[in-house]
Amino acid sequence: MKHILLNLKRFDVPVELGGVNRLAPIPQWGAAVVMGTQEALKKYDPAEVEFVQYLPEAHLINAVAALDEDSPVQIGSQSVYRMNTAVGGNFGAFTTNRSASIVKAIGCKSTLIGHCEERNDKKGILAEAGVTDMSAVNRLLNQEIKCAQAEGLTVAYCIGETSEEQPRWEEVLGAQLDVGLEGVDKSKVVIAYEPVWSIGPGKTPAGKEYITKIARFVKERTGGMDVVYGGGLKTDNAEMLASIDEIDGGLIALTRFQGEIGFYPEEYLDIIRLYLGK
């Protein structure tokens, strides 16, 4: 099974506010993403490839409402809170946080947990509190995965090493896997590998040999879990990533990196065609 994941971050912010959204007005943005992609994706066999689109929470309802009855698209949230509502328990006292129960009730099928931006946010909060042991981040993410799975959501769990961590990448990634996946149903989790050290303007992208090495490590450490490339599946690297047997898909974000940068549905479909070869 191949996994094509789309993380739309805050790509809903209009250009005039400093964002990259040229696709649709904010109230229609989530629906525009779905309607601009789902019909073309119907040509792919759902037994061979799944398409999950992770959107900011404000757009989940409109995105789910735009799904055709036979849509190949699954809608996902960008993480869930580490605690959940429960009958006879907490009824929703989670101001600013999204519980897995409401994500599921909205119509999501999946969630994205541990993205490097989420990890950085948690690290920053811990640092402000004077905490130096950042292993707590993996434990918090493990709680999120468990909450998601309790609601029947599948999980894309992101791991990755920074430039400072790269010399001890095996230790860092091993801890993210061992702690983050402790006690979870691994059959409902896909690992998304983000080489954080290589992502961003002016940085050298991770090469085929390095990505292959990491993917093999992850599969060996986890007993063969599916691994997707989370450092950005795009036009430049789609064919290279498709040639790596150990890579089971990729995570797409921006589709255009020059000029009017942003996410464009037709370019997203082009990337998928390049990667899948059809």
Side-chain angles (χ1 to χ4, degrees):
M1 170 72 79
K2 294 294 186 182
H3 312 270
I4 305 296
L5 313 179
L6 174 65
N7 179 22
L8 286 170
K9 302 192 180 186
R10 289 259 45 133
F11 297 162
D12 56 336
V13 179
V15 174
E16 59 269 23
L17 297 179
V20 298
N21 175 17
R22 297 177 177 85
L23 181 61
I26 292 175
Q28 290 84 46
W29 182 78
V33 171
V34 171
M35 291 189 290
T37 59
Q38 66 181 343
E39 191 61 37
L41 296 177
K42 291 178 182 178
K43 72 177 184 179
Y44 297 103
D45 185 347
E48 296 178 356
V49 57
E50 70 167 2
F51 303 98
V52 188
Q53 301 180 352
Y54 299 102
L55 281 74
E57 186 173 9
H59 303 284
L60 295 178
I61 293 175
N62 283 348
V64 169
L67 294 173
D68 292 343
E69 188 173 341
D70 60 343
S71 179
V73 173
Q74 298 178 45
I75 300 301
S77 68
Q78 295 175 336
S79 201
V80 295
Y81 191 45
R82 66 181 180 274
M83 292 187 282
N84 201 7
T85 59
V87 176
N90 194 315
F91 53 81
F94 301 131
T95 301
T96 80
N97 294 301
R98 67 188 74 79
S99 64
S101 58
I102 191 59
V103 167
K104 178 68 178 295
I106 286 172
C108 290
K109 300 290 181 64
S110 185
T111 190
L112 181 71
I113 290 177
H115 189 279
C116 64
E117 291 158 14
E118 181 185 6
R119 286 182 180 273
N120 285 342
D121 180 56
K122 285 178 166 54
K123 287 178 181 177
I125 293 170
L126 290 171
E128 284 294 322
V131 177
T132 57
D133 178 12
M134 292 300 165
S135 63
V137 172
N138 293 324
R139 296 195 295 273
L140 292 171
L141 296 174
N142 176 254
Q143 293 173 34
E144 293 178 3
I145 295 175
K146 288 176 176 175
C147 280
Q149 290 198 332
E151 290 294 339
L153 299 169
T154 61
V155 174
Y157 176 52
C158 299
I159 65 167
E161 77 280 31
T162 64
S163 56
E164 293 78 16
E165 295 168 332
Q166 196 179 10
R168 52 189 184 92
W169 65 267
E170 190 168 353
E171 173 193 345
V172 171
L173 299 184
Q176 291 174 0
L177 291 167
D178 294 348
V179 177
L181 297 174
E182 183 180 0
V184 310
D185 182 354
K186 293 181 181 178
S187 70
K188 302 295 176 62
V189 180
V190 173
I191 302 300
Y193 169 61
E194 299 179 281
V196 184
W197 54 270
S198 76
I199 300 172
K203 296 185 179 180
T204 302
K208 179 176 179 177
E209 184 177 347
Y210 193 89
I211 295 169
T212 302
K213 175 181 72 172
I214 300 297
R216 286 176 180 166
F217 168 79
V218 172
K219 286 185 179 292
E220 290 170 4
R221 191 83 170 212
T222 63
M225 291 178 68
D226 283 357
V227 184
V228 305
Y229 182 64
L233 172 58
K234 44 198 168 188
T235 303
D236 315 12
N237 64 13
E239 293 178 337
M240 179 271 286
L241 291 171
S243 72
I244 302 176
D245 292 338
E246 293 82 358
I247 288 292
D248 304 297
L251 191 151
I252 299 171
L254 292 174
T255 61
R256 189 182 305 175
F257 297 85
Q258 295 181 343
E260 294 187 338
I261 68 169
F263 170 80
Y264 298 89
E266 188 51 50
E267 295 173 355
Y268 161 79
L269 296 171
D270 286 341
I271 294 169
I272 292 171
R273 282 190 283 267
L274 275 173
Y275 178 73
L276 296 176
K278 55 184 177 180

